[in-house]
Amino acid sequence: MSNPYKISRTSKYDAFKTIKGNRTVRPAHVKKLKLAIQSDPESIKYNPILVNEHLEVIDGQHRLEAIKQLKLDVYFVKVDGLKLDDVQILNSVSKNWQPMDYAKAFSTLGNKNYGYYLDVKQGSFSLNHDSLMRYLSLDNPITSQSFNEGKLKVDNYPRSLELLGWLFDIGQYYERYKIRSFALAFLKLATSKGYDQDRMYEQMKNHSRRFLEDYSKEQDYFIALNKIYNYHKRTQVHFGTPEYLMA
């Protein structure tokens, strides 16, 4: 059975458009592709650029840039109806999109939740992806897959910023405060009923070295943070469930 899609050829680079929401072109990747194409120029014929009816690039924007820089003809296949979702699917099985790629894409499309993510990730309160998702989603935590599908929901951005600020404030007394297990243990503590950030700040300042070690598990950090919070406190306040606090 013959291929219904025709491979076309052009030297008119300006005819191609970037689809709104696609990830930005990475110069380092373009450089690698240029070297690969120079070593095998025929590859651009059997690996054409994929575009939709508007000549928006669905797959191959890095290849297109490399071809332009090498001043070669562009080989492309046009398939009507393709959109941003298809870009993400195609890239997920080749050079995987990173969280920042998804965030920039959804933010460009007007999703303010991903704008919040970018503001924090590129600002003063940057954490690893999983921790940052938890601080932003709070009562509605999501998986990485849901994040990639555009389902991030930031219900209380000022509160998220406050909690991140608290983490960074006490972080000056524990250099590994950005690791996932510590950041999530602190989030659990800081969102517990009766928590006092002023007390925790002073306790970390004066007693963090007494109780904190380099743990790998969130639960161990949570237990240590409880001990720091309650050290020399007349009325003890234990956060978390008894099971969670078991050593």
Side-chain angles (χ1 to χ4, degrees):
M1 183 174 179
S2 61
N3 189 336
Y5 300 114
K6 175 186 175 183
I7 296 179
S8 302
R9 175 181 177 180
T10 185
S11 59
K12 297 179 180 179
Y13 307 131
D14 293 340
F16 299 100
K17 306 175 184 67
T18 299
I19 192 166
K20 187 177 181 181
N22 200 357
R23 57 182 172 181
T24 56
V25 172
R26 295 172 177 168
H29 190 43
V30 172
K31 184 177 180 180
K32 290 179 181 179
L33 288 174
K34 283 174 65 177
L35 293 173
I37 292 170
Q38 286 174 321
S39 65
D40 182 13
E42 293 295 304
S43 65
I44 62 175
K45 297 180 181 180
Y46 56 75
N47 190 21
I49 307 300
L50 180 63
V51 301
N52 61 17
E53 68 272 25
H54 306 297
L55 294 186
E56 294 174 321
V57 179
I58 303 300
D59 182 47
Q61 65 171 355
H62 286 87
R63 273 178 283 139
L64 176 60
E65 182 59 30
I67 290 168
K68 287 166 60 176
Q69 292 183 19
L70 292 171
K71 296 181 171 53
L72 300 173
D73 286 351
V74 180
Y75 291 81
F76 66 98
V77 172
K78 184 170 68 172
V79 179
D80 294 351
L82 296 179
K83 51 191 183 301
L84 180 63
D85 289 348
D86 300 296
V87 176
Q88 296 172 342
I89 291 170
L90 286 166
N91 279 280
S92 70
V93 295
S94 56
K95 184 175 176 61
N96 290 342
W97 276 40
Q98 300 301 312
M100 286 292 284
D101 294 321
Y102 285 103
K104 289 176 181 177
F106 288 120
S107 178
T108 299
L109 294 174
N111 190 319
K112 66 180 182 180
N113 297 286
Y114 289 83
Y116 294 144
Y117 178 94
L118 289 173
D119 287 344
V120 176
K121 190 67 176 175
Q122 297 172 331
S124 302
F125 296 145
S126 178
L127 291 176
N128 67 73
H129 174 59
D130 188 54
S131 297
L132 189 52
M133 282 197 304
R134 292 281 294 277
Y135 271 80
L136 289 174
S137 56
L138 292 177
D139 294 332
N140 300 291
I142 63 171
T143 63
S144 292
Q145 181 62 38
S146 295
F147 180 92
N148 296 348
E149 293 171 355
K151 296 178 181 177
L152 174 66
K153 187 171 175 136
V154 182
D155 290 323
N156 192 338
Y157 187 50
R159 174 60 170 161
S160 294
L161 289 180
E162 179 181 50
L163 291 165
L164 285 164
W166 287 356
L167 171 66
F168 277 64
D169 282 344
I170 69 165
Q172 62 186 297
Y173 302 114
Y174 183 61
E175 63 180 10
R176 300 182 74 234
Y177 72 101
K178 285 188 178 183
I179 66 170
R180 179 184 182 279
S181 50
F182 182 90
L184 295 185
F186 175 75
L187 178 62
K188 183 175 180 64
L189 187 85
T191 53
S192 297
K193 184 178 180 180
Y195 174 82
D196 182 346
Q197 171 66 7
D198 290 335
R199 174 175 178 80
M200 190 63 188
Y201 179 86
E202 289 301 318
Q203 291 292 93
M204 283 290 292
K205 179 180 178 181
N206 297 316
H207 308 298
S208 58
R209 292 183 180 180
R210 178 186 294 271
F211 296 104
L212 276 179
E213 299 178 15
D214 292 343
Y215 301 111
S216 59
K217 295 181 180 178
E218 177 185 335
Q219 178 177 344
D220 292 331
Y221 274 118
F222 189 75
I223 292 170
L225 288 171
N226 264 274
K227 291 178 179 178
I228 293 170
Y229 189 91
N230 284 291
Y231 188 63
H232 286 166
K233 191 175 192 304
R234 182 173 299 175
T235 304
Q236 301 280 294
V237 179
H238 294 292
F239 304 106
T241 62
E243 294 80 10
Y244 198 84
L245 290 171
M246 287 178 61

